[in-house]
Amino acid sequence: MNTSNNKLAVFWDLDDTLYDHLVPFREAVREVLQPDESMLNYADLFYKVRYHSDLLWPQYLRGELALEETRVLRLELAFAEYGLKLNREQAAKVQASYIGRQYSIEMIEGVAEQLKRFISLGHKVGIITNGPQEHQMNKLRGLGIDKLIPEEMIFISDAVGLAKPDPAIFAHVNKVTGTTAEQSIYVGDTWDNDVVGALAAGWRVIWYNPRGRQPGTDHQPSYIFTNYREFSELPII
């Protein structure tokens, strides 16, 4: 993918790509439920939470579900699928603890260096993320990413009115930023939202897969990496 003679547009997912989303979730579950951890794989449980969140999000965007109902319901569905009992009160407490911890987060090791590398080389660098606008911006501020990337290069689904995996959000980003799909790259961790969505828009995709998930379809990302040391060695530029 060497395009050294051309400037790229490199956009990044936020949750579980720039910071480890699992950490605040795990701590929230521990605080509220005090589970038997010998019977619990937090990574698998959290994967189910994100899966149900992605399924419910279009209903939220259409106004069919309130935001808090969406958040609590995804927990109830995920825990039930995992075989754990979680009543509505417990789900609400886990959600409140989880949200409260999401603004005290740190970038995954090596992320900042890679963002700065692309910026220093003159490539356009931005964020495309699903979620409520202020909530996602608070995370970006907590990480200090708002000091690296200008607001006009940050695209949040609730503010745009489009959400991944709809390829329209990627087309919207190209239109607003004056970039083209052919020169655009998306870096993300979620197969359906990030890989499938961006490829459908004609973008190239670099899949961040630190936990060894299996592809959900036969789509082909340009590269796969498990940590940012590997990412730094990819022949992207």
Side-chain angles (χ1 to χ4, degrees), residues 118-199:
F118 283 96
I119 292 169
S120 69
L121 292 170
H123 300 295
K124 291 191 174 183
V125 175
I127 304 293
I128 304 173
T129 178
N130 283 358
Q133 183 177 12
E134 192 58 25
H135 179 51
Q136 297 301 85
M137 278 304 305
N138 282 338
K139 294 179 193 176
L140 291 167
R141 294 184 190 108
L143 293 169
I145 290 172
D146 61 316
K147 296 180 175 62
L148 295 174
I149 298 175
E151 188 173 350
E152 62 268 21
M153 294 297 288
I154 296 173
F155 296 86
I156 300 172
S157 64
D158 276 24
V160 174
L162 299 164
K164 301 177 298 181
D166 188 344
I169 192 170
F170 298 96
H172 172 80
V173 169
N174 283 146
K175 181 178 179 181
V176 171
T177 61
T179 56
T180 66
E182 294 74 20
Q183 289 298 104
S184 297
I185 297 172
Y186 193 58
V187 183
D189 72 291
T190 303
W191 186 263
D192 290 334
N193 274 3
D194 300 336
V195 176
V196 176
L199 286 175

Side-chain angles (χ1 to χ4, degrees), residues 17-205:
T17 298
L18 299 185
Y19 78 99
D20 189 348
H21 214 174
L22 177 60
V23 173
F25 173 77
R26 182 183 62 221
E27 296 308 310
V29 173
R30 284 174 172 168
E31 177 187 34
V32 175
L33 303 179
Q34 300 177 348
D36 178 356
E37 302 207 7
S38 66
M39 304 294 291
L40 181 59
N41 183 314
Y42 284 104
D44 286 348
L45 177 57
F46 186 57
Y47 182 80
K48 294 182 186 301
V49 172
R50 293 197 66 186
Y51 171 76
H52 285 288
S53 182
D54 290 342
L55 288 182
L56 293 169
W57 208 254
Q59 296 180 58
Y60 160 68
L61 287 177
R62 293 193 299 266
E64 297 168 9
L65 286 173
L67 178 59
E68 198 59 28
E69 173 67 15
T70 304
R71 288 169 162 171
V72 171
L73 183 56
R74 68 182 178 179
L75 291 173
E76 291 177 323
L77 292 170
F79 274 73
E81 185 178 329
Y82 197 81
L84 297 174
K85 292 183 179 180
L86 186 74
N87 62 40
R88 176 54 60 104
E89 181 181 1
Q90 289 173 317
K93 287 181 178 179
V94 170
Q95 176 60 31
S97 178
Y98 176 44
I99 287 292
R101 295 173 184 274
Q102 286 189 43
Y103 307 138
S104 299
I105 49 180
E106 296 180 354
M107 277 189 267
I108 295 168
E109 184 177 358
V111 167
E113 290 80 2
Q114 295 310 306
L115 293 174
K116 292 174 183 177
R117 176 169 70 114
F118 283 96
I119 292 169
S120 69
L121 292 170
H123 300 295
K124 291 191 174 183
V125 175
I127 304 293
I128 304 173
T129 178
N130 283 358
Q133 183 177 12
E134 192 58 25
H135 179 51
Q136 297 301 85
M137 278 304 305
N138 282 338
K139 294 179 193 176
L140 291 167
R141 294 184 190 108
L143 293 169
I145 290 172
D146 61 316
K147 296 180 175 62
L148 295 174
I149 298 175
E151 188 173 350
E152 62 268 21
M153 294 297 288
I154 296 173
F155 296 86
I156 300 172
S157 64
D158 276 24
V160 174
L162 299 164
K164 301 177 298 181
D166 188 344
I169 192 170
F170 298 96
H172 172 80
V173 169
N174 283 146
K175 181 178 179 181
V176 171
T177 61
T179 56
T180 66
E182 294 74 20
Q183 289 298 104
S184 297
I185 297 172
Y186 193 58
V187 183
D189 72 291
T190 303
W191 186 263
D192 290 334
N193 274 3
D194 300 336
V195 176
V196 176
L199 286 175
W203 287 37
R204 288 169 289 174
V205 177

